[in-house]
Structures are given as structure tokens and as C-alpha cells.
Amino acid sequence: MAITYMTKEGYKKKMEEIAYLESVERPRISAAIAEARDKGDLSENSEYDAAKEAQGMLEMKIAQLKDLVANSRIIDTSELNTEVVQILNRVTIKNLGNNMTMEYTIVADSEANLREKKIGSSTPIAQGLLGHRVGETVEIKVPAGLMKFEILKVDFD
């Protein structure tokens, strides 16, 4: 598995999710399996089958999350600068096609959330911005075609 870069908050959220899944969801599913088992014949018991499938999915999710945090590196925000666009920077850009201004924070893919204006570092827009400076115009190939953006501001939270 590849190394994933995370913020301290992102790492903490993943650890909390693992703890919740292990301490709340795992016992809940185990109880559902036991209850279905008590109902008799397992060969025709759809509740038992559904609970066993849910258990398998839960264990797979826990394993994936544990892999993710085991292969993650926490980014030290004290080493960030705003000279060039890099991960964890908040970037204000202007779409030169329609003059719309947008602001995004470039984060690890595991922390991406468009509603919070956080885009994953592997997205075409983030890839096109990384390494560039304020005042530069960048052309980025996106699924809709080629777009031009001017970098207006680079900072971080």
C-alpha cells in the first residue's frame, strides 16, 4: 500500500473511526449473529446470512482503515510555506474561462471533502497547482477539457 499523508486531525478521525467500529459496531453485529443463530435452522435463515455478510464487510473496513493509518505519515504544518503550492495549502484560484474565483485546500486523498472545499492531492486540479506560485497561470486537463487558472493566493489554516 502506498504512503498516505495526513494531518493530525485526519489521523485522529481515522483512529476514532476504528475505535468506534471495534467497540460499537463489532459487538452489535456479533449480537445480531447470536440472535439469528438462536432462531434455529441456519440453512434457511436470511437474518443470519445478512448478519454474517455485515460482519465480513465491517471486518474488511476495519482492516482497510488499519492499513491506511499504518502506512500514513503525519504532515508537520510548521514546515509548510506559501512560496509554492503544496499539500495542506489553501489556494485561491480564478478560472480564466468564466472569471469565477474558487478556494480549495489541498489535502491527502483520504481527507478530501468537496463540501469543506478540500480536494485530494491526486485530483487533476491539485496536481496542476502543486509546485506553482502566486501570479502564475496554469493549464489543467480535466475531464471537461483544458482549463486555465490563475493562482491568486496561497496560504494555510
Side-chain angles (χ1 to χ4, degrees):
M1 184 174 226
I3 291 175
T4 301
Y5 293 95
M6 295 183 165
T7 60
K8 280 183 186 170
E9 308 106 50
Y11 183 82
K12 185 176 172 228
K13 281 182 184 174
K14 295 296 179 196
M15 293 304 286
E16 287 169 356
E17 186 178 358
I18 291 168
Y20 172 79
L21 293 174
E22 289 182 331
S23 64
V24 176
E25 289 298 311
R26 187 182 272 160
R28 184 186 64 75
I29 289 175
S30 292
I33 290 170
E35 185 180 319
R37 191 180 300 126
D38 290 344
K39 291 183 178 174
D41 184 10
L42 298 181
S43 64
E44 294 178 15
N45 188 331
S46 61
E47 285 179 47
Y48 178 78
D49 292 341
K52 286 298 280 183
E53 186 173 330
Q55 181 184 42
M57 298 295 282
L58 176 70
E59 294 304 325
M60 187 172 72
K61 182 167 178 115
I62 290 170
Q64 286 174 337
L65 285 168
K66 284 184 171 184
D67 260 2
L68 181 72
V69 296
N71 292 299
S72 67
R73 301 291 176 267
I74 296 177
I75 298 167
D76 182 358
T77 55
S78 68
E79 294 179 11
L80 293 177
N81 70 59
T82 56
E83 293 293 310
V84 297
V85 177
Q86 56 187 343
I87 194 163
L88 289 191
N89 280 147
R90 184 174 49 222
V91 184
T92 306
I93 56 176
K94 180 164 75 172
N95 180 334
L96 297 178
N98 61 13
N99 283 331
M100 280 185 59
T101 300
M102 298 161 279
E103 182 179 274
Y104 295 113
T105 301
I106 300 173
V107 297
D109 292 334
S110 63
E111 296 180 49
N113 183 334
L114 209 46
R115 267 179 282 181
E116 295 176 11
K117 296 186 176 185
K118 294 178 177 180
I119 59 172
S121 59
S122 69
T123 62
I125 290 179
Q127 285 291 304
L129 295 172
L130 291 170
H132 291 279
R133 300 173 183 278
V134 171
E136 286 186 37
T137 299
V138 293
E139 284 189 356
I140 301 173
K141 186 170 174 37
V142 295
L146 199 60
M147 298 179 80
K148 282 187 180 184
F149 297 99
E150 180 183 354
I151 301 171
L152 302 177
K153 183 177 172 187
V154 179
D155 59 4
F156 57 90
D157 298 323

